[in-house]
Amino acid sequence: MASNNFIDYVKLICRSGKGGAGSRHYFRAKGLPNGGPDGGDGGRGGHIILEGNSQLWTLLHLQYQKHVFAKDGEGGGENLRSGAQGDDIVLQVPLGTIARNAETQEKMLEITEHGQRAILVPGGRGGWGNDHFKNSINQAPEYAQPGEPAVEAVVILELKLLADVGLVGFPNAGKSTLLSVVSAAKPKIADYAFTTLVPNLGVVAYRDYKSFVMADIPGIIEGAAEGKGLGTRFLRHIERNSMLLFMISCDSPDIAAEYQILVNELEQFNPDLLDKQRLLAITKSDMIDDELEAEIRATLPEEVPSIFISSLTNKNIVPLKDMIWKALEETRRDAAPVKRAGFGEEEGNEEWPS
């Protein structure tokens, strides 16, 4: 994903279609001058719909589509003819897209599956024709319903990438290099800070034709929560990840301190990120010998599993995959619903099966 093509935030001015008015009409024919009401219903206004598309990775195609207006429904006609519905507008979005109200920041919906459809802005309902209001007392109603008005909203579409593993680290920690080694992704790699300006995704092949998705986000630094560096703009892309892989270079003067800085920045952005499974990879370990590696290992935080790797020499890359897969399996197992013995009900459900 080139930096000028990765768009993860767009604002749209949306307006659904208004409903068509019901008809106030009476049947007239030769020999039947006082026929009953036969006004048809108005058509529904067009919806604005979001649909998940697994082939999309960015909101680029919506960047310049600032106004999205659906068609109005048509009015009802005589002989109980209903008006045509307004055409719906279907916006294709990548998986992981969240829609928010721009004024209240309230979450409206989210798209997480391919083919999933959700109404972003509903069209107005069509009005009933006068045929609906006839009865034994009022056999010739002279009124019909107007259609409901259109709904207008300013909507923010925000993309949060869906991945299994999120890479977290300072600039030049080797995140992009690892992604390029274990997957077919081709992120930009250079020997200066903030080489990665946009998130990158890669599918990592594992044993027995299994795989998992890895997300590399731009490096964060101390004070990112206050806007330093690239800030925390891209941290939302790891909010959905099953686990986090912290990456710190072996030439860091204090690995434990850097790890704690990263943890603190995540906590300031979203405390829920600390509930995720964590692994620690010490990168560029081809530059050190076994004796220095042992000295560094003694200083590492004990609460997180760690491993020394080198993307250049492929040192411990396979064991790293094994650790990641094991952590993912544990996460999936913990997320699976717990069944009550004999009933098959989820734990915590107070209702007994019927």
Side-chain angles (χ1 to χ4, degrees):
M1 290 182 288
S3 60
N4 60 337
N5 287 335
F6 183 78
I7 303 298
D8 58 359
Y9 181 99
V10 295
K11 181 182 289 187
L12 302 175
I13 300 174
C14 300
R15 185 178 68 205
S16 64
K18 65 180 180 181
S23 172
R24 186 179 65 87
H25 189 269
Y26 303 93
F27 180 75
R28 296 291 183 264
K30 184 176 181 180
L32 190 60
N34 296 319
D38 68 346
D41 300 336
R44 171 183 60 78
H47 297 317
I48 298 177
I49 298 171
L50 297 186
E51 181 177 21
N53 187 334
S54 60
Q55 301 302 311
L56 296 176
W57 297 96
T58 172
L59 296 171
L60 175 66
H61 60 295
L62 299 176
Q63 183 180 15
Y64 302 107
Q65 190 174 350
K66 299 300 183 184
H67 298 85
V68 182
F69 297 158
K71 297 288 187 180
D72 295 336
E74 296 184 3
E78 59 187 42
N79 295 327
L80 300 179
R81 287 200 297 264
S82 298
Q85 293 185 355
D87 294 335
D88 296 332
I89 292 182
V90 180
L91 302 177
Q92 302 282 325
V93 295
L95 308 188
T97 298
I98 292 178
R100 299 184 186 276
N101 185 294
E103 297 179 0
T104 65
Q105 294 301 311
E106 179 184 1
K107 178 180 172 181
M108 302 168 66
L109 58 91
E110 62 180 315
I111 301 296
T112 58
E113 299 178 1
H114 179 74
Q116 176 188 352
R117 282 194 171 199
I119 297 176
L120 180 64
V121 184
R125 290 184 299 179
W128 279 355
N130 63 348
D131 177 69
H132 282 277
F133 302 102
K134 66 184 180 182
N135 54 47
S136 59
I137 299 175
N138 186 7
Q139 299 184 9
E142 296 184 358
Y143 51 85
Q145 284 183 332
E148 287 186 348
V151 178
E152 296 187 6
V154 181
V155 177
I156 291 173
L157 298 185
E158 183 180 83
L159 174 61
K160 294 183 180 181
L161 296 178
L162 295 176
D164 298 304
V165 186
L167 304 183
V168 180
F170 282 78
N172 275 11
K175 302 186 300 298
S176 297
T177 305
L178 175 65
L179 184 66
S180 68
V181 168
V182 300
S183 74
K186 302 298 179 186
K188 183 178 180 181
I189 301 172
D191 58 354
Y192 54 84
F194 298 111
T195 308
T196 302
L197 297 177
V198 298
N200 292 285
L201 284 180
V203 178
V204 181
Y206 188 60
R207 307 175 192 272
D208 301 325
Y209 303 101
K210 299 173 183 175
S211 64
F212 54 86
V213 179
M214 183 176 286
D216 168 30
I217 66 169
I220 58 179
I221 62 176
E222 186 173 11
E226 285 77 43
K228 291 185 179 180
L230 294 178
T232 57
R233 172 188 170 190
F234 296 107
L235 283 182
R236 67 172 175 268
H237 291 295
I238 61 173
E239 286 184 312
R240 296 175 182 271
N241 297 166
S242 299
M243 60 160 294
L244 303 177
L245 176 61
F246 288 76
M247 301 184 65
I248 301 177
S249 175
C250 67
D251 59 2
S252 167
D254 192 335
I255 292 177
E258 284 199 8
Y259 171 76
Q260 193 57 49
I261 289 173
L262 293 171
V263 170
N264 291 341
E265 294 300 326
L266 296 186
E267 184 176 20
Q268 291 185 57
F269 176 75
N270 183 352
D272 292 340
L273 289 174
L274 301 189
D275 295 333
K276 296 182 180 295
Q277 281 267 25
R278 284 178 259 171
L279 296 178
L280 174 61
I282 310 303
T283 63
K284 307 177 185 178
S285 62
D286 57 285
M287 300 189 302
I288 60 176
D289 56 22
D290 293 342
E291 182 178 352
L292 185 53
E293 180 177 315
E295 293 180 8
I296 295 175
R297 188 182 299 278
T299 68
L300 299 181
E302 298 179 356
E303 69 274 13
V304 56
S306 59
I307 185 172
F308 285 77
I309 67 169
S310 171
S311 300
L312 182 63
T313 64
N314 281 332
K315 174 183 176 180
N316 284 338
I317 295 299
V318 173
L320 174 63
K321 290 184 181 181
D322 292 335
M323 291 178 66
I324 291 174
W325 187 261
K326 181 180 177 181
L328 290 175
E329 288 291 286
E330 291 177 357
T331 301
R332 292 163 184 158
R333 184 169 59 250
D334 293 342
V338 178
K339 303 293 185 179
R340 281 184 180 175
F343 292 103
E345 294 296 311
E346 293 186 10
E347 186 176 17
N349 187 346
E350 298 179 357
E351 295 184 4
W352 292 92
S354 57

